[in-house]
Amino acid sequence: MSTNNNKQHRQTISISRLWRMLVLPLMAVVVATVPAKAFLARPVIFASIGSVTTAPSGWLQFCSENPDECRTTPDPQQNVELTPDLLQQLFTINAFANDRVKWTSDLERYGKIERWAMPLDRGDCEDIVLLKRRMLAQAGWPTGALLITTVEDPKAGNGRHAVLTVRTDRGEFILDNQSPEILFWYETQYRFLSRQSATDPNLWVAFADAKELPGPVLAPRVR
């Protein structure tokens, strides 16, 4: 086994241990729950998807180094039936990853403008999204419901940013390292560019032009 493979194997073990040691106990003792009834009473509106587009170069590089993370699953496309417990799980994992990983640029970590990698304690937005995707998959969420998404952030001069879209029967939620909130996609201020297809993580699709949607509403947070 090569040095890189050994490193990746150790990293996978470390993340799995973090999950067992920190996240699962935290989920078991959470007392405060998300007021799910009010949260889930909002409009169920799914984003309009357009044509197939080019996958980000960082994803292609990540898949060449981590093929197991990029395999197409045999399960058909499905939206998760969201329950209060699963909603709480989204909040718990989102908060854990955001708190665990200190935002660090790829230039500082690797001396490169762009590199996607599974983080331990440092990483940028794409890395944090990869961690959330893995942790949710390990918790039993289908990967077809966990879609890496690229957006433009008007607060950063329309700079590129990555978030995780989670598809459920109650709509599509955005998990974002820049906010402790979990919002429906239409509640964010982002301009959505592209995301993974729900049927194949290596197939990326562009977003169609957004129609008139409800205005931003802050989602409740777990305290």
Side-chain angles (χ1 to χ4, degrees):
M1 183 178 290
S2 68
T3 301
N4 286 338
N5 287 337
N6 281 329
K7 184 177 180 181
Q8 291 169 8
H9 181 64
R10 289 195 301 271
Q11 188 180 62
T12 299
I13 293 174
S14 298
I15 291 173
S16 298
R17 285 175 178 168
L18 283 173
W19 171 252
R20 293 194 301 269
M21 295 171 59
L22 300 177
V23 179
L24 290 178
L26 175 62
M27 290 171 59
V29 301
V30 168
V31 177
T33 59
V34 178
K37 185 176 293 186
F39 187 75
L40 299 179
R42 299 191 184 131
V44 179
I45 303 174
F46 291 88
S48 297
I49 299 301
S51 58
V52 173
T53 189
T54 304
S57 59
W59 173 255
L60 299 177
Q61 159 260 308
F62 176 75
C63 288
S64 69
E65 299 171 356
N66 304 271
D68 288 345
E69 298 280 347
C70 308
R71 290 178 177 168
T72 302
T73 61
D75 298 330
Q77 176 180 350
Q78 58 180 302
N79 293 330
V80 174
E81 183 177 347
L82 193 64
T83 64
D85 286 344
L86 288 180
L87 182 59
Q88 180 65 55
Q89 192 175 70
L90 285 183
F91 273 89
T92 301
I93 289 177
N94 188 60
F96 173 82
N98 287 353
D99 292 341
R100 171 70 186 178
V101 182
K102 178 183 178 182
W103 191 92
T104 309
S105 70
D106 289 334
L107 194 60
E108 181 178 344
R109 286 192 71 195
Y110 305 110
K112 298 181 178 180
I113 298 286
E114 185 74 355
R115 176 176 170 79
W116 292 25
M118 193 67 66
L120 285 176
D121 57 357
R122 294 192 301 156
D124 65 2
C125 58
E126 293 91 0
D127 304 337
I128 298 171
V129 164
L130 289 170
L131 177 59
K132 293 175 184 178
R133 180 176 180 266
R134 175 184 282 183
M135 293 177 70
L136 285 168
Q138 289 177 341
W141 290 70
T143 55
L146 309 172
L147 310 177
I148 301 174
T149 304
T150 65
V151 299
E152 282 185 353
D153 183 0
K155 294 181 294 186
N158 290 328
R160 296 297 176 95
H161 180 50
V163 295
L164 184 66
T165 298
V166 179
R167 286 179 58 89
T168 77
D169 64 334
R170 297 302 305 165
E172 296 169 332
F173 297 89
I174 300 300
L175 277 59
D176 188 355
N177 70 289
Q178 297 189 146
S179 172
E181 310 290 349
I182 291 179
L183 302 177
F184 288 97
W185 71 274
Y186 57 78
E187 295 178 321
T188 74
Q189 300 293 339
Y190 297 133
R191 176 174 176 263
F192 287 78
L193 301 175
S194 67
R195 78 179 185 197
Q196 293 172 302
S197 164
T199 58
D200 184 347
N202 300 302
L203 183 68
W204 287 66
V205 291
F207 284 84
D209 291 337
K211 299 178 180 179
E212 185 175 350
L213 296 170
V217 181
L218 284 181
R221 72 176 69 182
V222 177
R223 297 183 182 276

